[in-house]
Amino acid sequence: MSLNELKKKLSIIYHDFLNVFNKEKTTQLSLHRSYDHKIELEDESQFFKSWLYFILSYKLQKIKEYLEENLKKKFIILSKASFASSILFVEKRDDSLCFCMNYWKLNALIKRDRYSILLIDKVLAWIQDSKYLTQLNIIITFNKLCMSTESENLITFVTFFDVYKYRVMLFKLINESAFFQHYINDVLFDCLHKFCQTYLNDILIYSKILKEHRTHVKEVLNKLHEVNLQINIDKCEFKIQKISCLELLMFINDLRMNS
């Protein structure tokens, strides 16, 4: 989406935050910081190896394309680890293939994070007296967080081309949801439970007065800008009175199934 197209979609009130809606920034590797994801194992002596298996030529081409794209982004680098996970493909609804890591062996060794995620009825309780709602959706949430350097080798994977490891946090790892929830709650700590609720990469902003609501949205956008998180403008809804969330329709004073 061009800058001019983005300006047309986004209210002029929020044009100071156009960079927060810039999808091109989602391909940039984040810097290491205190939020780097560290994997802790229950038993560090039980490492594992995965073996290559026969794969059709068109899938090999998909692997090569994936490697080239992520090497260019610096999301992955070569690994010399003595253990590795295998790869697999998941078929999407449109019959296309999704390239995935098979981390079931690793997940079996990882200590569970017990950080709690807010239940939907608790979210509803906070917004009941509000008149205006805005929903924001963060793009590629897990790729915006780096792995800690000591954990990178643990997410090594083997292909017919070479052995690689990730430098960014991955979906499908045990604890990724809890870790990201903890992260985004810290980022929005000053706003949380005052005029903002979060559920993973969805942010709900609620207010009683329109002028106040615009100020609240700007404050949240500024917080996201400070940590270089981007928003998907196509999945955002501004200044409305109902929101679809987790197969539910959330109104300012009601909750219904989205049938």
Side-chain angles (χ1 to χ4, degrees):
M1 184 184 299
S2 69
L3 182 60
N4 286 335
E5 289 173 328
L6 181 56
K7 285 181 176 179
K8 289 178 182 177
K9 276 199 165 191
L10 186 65
S11 169
I12 193 171
I13 300 167
Y14 306 119
H15 278 193
D16 286 345
F17 300 97
L18 286 171
N19 62 328
V20 179
F21 297 87
N22 183 358
K23 290 186 178 181
E24 292 182 3
K25 290 196 172 186
T26 60
T27 62
Q28 298 174 0
L29 181 67
S30 297
L31 298 174
H32 284 291
R33 49 191 169 177
S34 60
Y35 288 108
D36 289 355
H37 184 48
K38 183 177 180 180
I39 295 175
E40 295 186 20
L41 301 180
E42 295 281 2
D43 185 351
E44 297 187 8
S45 66
Q46 294 185 28
F47 288 117
F48 50 87
K49 287 185 178 180
S50 296
W51 306 104
L52 293 171
Y53 55 90
F54 175 76
I55 193 166
L56 297 173
S57 59
Y58 80 98
K59 290 186 176 181
L60 275 177
Q61 183 58 34
K62 289 288 184 183
I63 294 171
K64 187 175 182 180
E65 291 170 3
Y66 181 88
L67 295 175
E68 288 174 342
E69 178 185 352
N70 285 276
L71 284 167
K72 184 177 180 181
K73 294 177 184 177
K74 299 182 180 178
F75 285 0
I76 61 174
I77 56 175
L78 290 171
S79 175
K80 294 182 179 179
S82 58
F83 46 89
S85 295
S86 60
I87 59 172
L88 51 84
F89 287 91
V90 176
E91 192 171 304
K92 297 182 181 179
R93 291 180 181 178
D94 60 1
D95 294 330
S96 63
L97 295 173
C98 178
F99 181 71
C100 301
M101 304 302 127
N102 185 4
Y103 284 129
W104 71 269
K105 290 182 181 178
L106 174 60
N107 283 334
L109 299 176
I110 296 176
K111 291 181 181 178
R112 297 319 193 245
D113 187 335
R114 304 302 179 185
Y115 190 84
S116 60
I117 296 176
L118 198 64
L119 297 175
I120 196 69
D121 61 326
K122 304 299 182 185
V123 175
L124 181 64
W126 285 101
I127 72 166
Q128 280 183 333
D129 295 329
S130 303
K131 299 297 182 185
Y132 301 96
L133 303 174
T134 287
Q135 184 179 34
L136 305 177
N137 179 270
I138 304 171
I139 305 173
I140 317 181
T141 53
F142 303 113
N143 283 354
K144 298 299 289 185
L145 293 169
C146 289
M147 296 298 300
S148 66
T149 52
E150 59 265 40
S151 296
E152 284 181 358
N153 278 341
L154 291 173
I155 51 175
T156 293
F157 63 97
V158 60
T159 73
F160 280 97
F161 297 97
D162 216 322
V163 181
Y164 303 89
K165 62 182 178 182
Y166 278 95
R167 303 176 69 194
V168 295
M169 187 175 166
L170 287 177
F171 188 61
K172 296 299 182 186
L173 276 177
I174 289 291
N175 298 333
E176 34 90 317
S177 296
F179 180 81
F180 186 80
Q181 187 68 62
H182 193 172
Y183 165 67
I184 199 63
N185 283 353
D186 279 357
V187 169
L188 297 175
F189 180 80
D190 293 337
C191 312
L192 210 59
H193 306 316
K194 291 168 61 179
F195 53 82
C196 170
Q197 297 295 334
T198 64
Y199 185 84
L200 298 177
N201 62 325
D202 284 314
I203 301 171
L204 179 62
I205 305 165
Y206 48 93
S207 316
K208 296 179 182 180
I209 303 168
L210 180 56
K211 184 178 180 181
E212 184 181 63
H213 187 67
R214 289 168 175 166
T215 301
H216 292 162
V217 174
K218 287 181 179 180
E219 189 169 341
V220 170
L221 291 175
N222 187 58
K223 295 285 186 185
L224 298 176
H225 166 71
E226 289 174 354
V227 294
N228 195 28
L229 287 174
Q230 278 70 49
I231 296 296
N232 187 346
I233 185 68
D234 296 324
K235 292 185 178 181
C236 292
E237 297 180 280
F238 293 88
K239 200 181 67 177
I240 56 176
Q241 295 193 328
K242 70 175 182 179
I243 284 176
S244 177
C245 182
L246 302 177
E247 299 186 358
L248 296 170
L249 277 179
M250 188 184 298
F251 293 79
I252 56 175
N253 57 1
D254 197 7
L255 187 68
R256 305 176 195 170
M257 292 300 299
N258 189 6
S259 56

